[in-house]
Amino acid sequence: MKKLLFDLSEFVDVLTPQAEAMKLAERFARRRKEKKLSQKRAAQTAGVSYSSLRRFERSGEISLCSLLKLAYAIGYLEDFEKVFAATAITDLRDL
């Protein structure tokens, strides 16, 4: 997949993967700080590299496995149970 040179959400109010990744990274950093964890300590606890955590908080880029480990380390792994959980209703018979 080709990386975009800019994020469309910077210009118009539209949902983009890049914008959502950054929001997720910001929420993670906020929760990490609430738990009084430094980046280094959170990375050690999660078993991910310090550079991966720093890159995530700076750019929103991280592997799914590392993200799940970080979520577990700060007590938010259960939030991922909601991802893709809702069934889309495409037909009234689905109700």
Side-chain angles (χ1 to χ4, degrees), residues 56-71:
F56 174 52
E57 289 190 5
R58 191 177 61 251
S59 69
E61 295 179 13
I62 193 165
S63 75
L64 177 59
C65 187
S66 292
L67 178 60
L68 294 173
K69 288 178 181 180
L70 288 170

Side-chain angles (χ1 to χ4, degrees), residues 15-28:
L15 189 65
T16 65
Q18 296 85 1
E20 287 306 301
M22 281 308 303
K23 288 180 192 176
L24 183 61
E26 290 165 5
R27 288 193 304 270
F28 171 80

Side-chain angles (χ1 to χ4, degrees), residues 7 10-11 15 25 30 43 52 59 76 80 85 94:
D7 185 357
E10 294 174 11
F11 306 101
L15 189 65
R30 195 167 34 251
S52 289
S59 69
Y76 283 87
F80 285 91
D94 293 342

Side-chain angles (χ1 to χ4, degrees), residues 34-58:
E34 285 172 0
K35 295 187 177 283
K36 310 275 193 259
L37 287 171
S38 67
Q39 287 180 326
K40 284 187 180 185
R41 185 69 184 136
Q44 287 174 337
T45 301
V48 301
S49 71
Y50 172 62
S51 61
S52 289
L53 189 148
R54 282 184 32 142
R55 183 178 61 250
F56 174 52
E57 289 190 5
R58 191 177 61 251

